[in-house]
Amino acid sequence: MKKHLVFIGDSLTEWYDWQDRFPAYRVMNLGISGETVEELLDRRDTLREKIDAPDAIFLMTGINNILSERYDITAPYREIVRNLTTWYKGTKIVVQSLVPVDMPWINNDTVRTINRHLSDLAREHNAEYLDVYSHFVDESGKPRPGLLSDDGVHLAAKGYEVWATVVEEYLKAC
């Protein structure tokens, strides 16, 4: 039987064909465009009904909060991770870092700070933390050209390839 992967998040997750990228796995994409961390928390019971004994759950959410300049996502994010690690014993719960953005009103230092909090809460709940962010920035910390779409938030095809490669390397190491 194929291993079962679940991807949960916002448009960054929803707009990629994870099944096509990982044909050796059974993949469920539960991304919802525009969703905030709080909205994801609100749909946790629906997620629980849909997800059945996955091998890994990959979680990336929070960029819509940041775009709205609501940076305090730690508490609801912690509750999501706590729920997932409680409900899915034996499943690898993978908290993925947020990726950088190229928006005039958002400093990526904020994204890095949030990522540090995400790393801490993953450790706190015995989840995995997957650093995607560092693969999207150059030596000076600026977003690498060609990985973000023209809107500065969503991913270009090359950006998705980078992200999927990070996930693939993680899966190979498991």
Side-chain angles (χ1 to χ4, degrees), residues 3 26 34 51 77 81 85 91 104 115 137 152:
K3 286 193 173 187
R26 185 168 52 102
I51 302 170
Y77 209 116
V81 173
T85 56
T91 295
N115 283 340
V137 294

Side-chain angles (χ1 to χ4, degrees), residues 16-143:
Y16 189 62
D17 190 342
W18 295 100
Q19 182 64 71
D20 186 59
R21 179 61 169 80
F22 295 109
Y25 297 88
R26 185 168 52 102
V27 178
M28 180 179 278
N29 184 336
L30 297 174
I32 294 182
S33 180
E35 185 174 68
T36 64
V37 175
E38 295 83 5
E39 290 167 334
L40 175 57
L41 181 60
D42 287 346
R43 74 174 169 122
R44 66 186 159 185
D45 292 331
T46 303
L47 291 172
R48 189 173 187 189
E49 291 169 8
K50 288 181 179 181
I51 302 170
D52 182 37
D55 295 285
I57 297 174
F58 291 87
L59 176 64
M60 182 191 285
T61 188
I63 205 65
N64 290 311
N65 294 72
I66 291 170
L67 293 173
S68 301
E69 299 182 75
R70 293 178 312 169
Y71 306 119
D72 189 14
I73 65 171
T74 306
Y77 209 116
R78 178 177 282 113
E79 185 65 13
I80 293 165
V81 173
R82 187 190 66 76
N83 288 150
L84 293 174
T85 56
T86 300
W87 295 337
Y88 299 103
K89 302 278 188 217
T91 295
K92 290 188 183 299
I93 307 300
V94 185
V95 174
Q96 301 174 99
S97 69
L98 299 176
V99 296
V101 295
D102 189 8
M103 305 298 290
W105 71 93
I106 299 171
N107 184 326
N108 279 309
D109 288 343
T110 302
V111 177
R112 283 191 292 278
T113 298
I114 290 170
N115 283 340
R116 279 194 297 279
H117 292 297
L118 296 181
S119 175
D120 292 344
L121 77 86
R123 195 170 26 262
E124 173 185 326
H125 291 284
N126 295 315
E128 305 278 331
Y129 178 75
L130 188 60
D131 173 25
V132 180
Y133 182 93
S134 66
H135 298 270
F136 276 77
V137 294
D138 62 20
E139 304 76 36
S140 67
K142 300 235 185 285

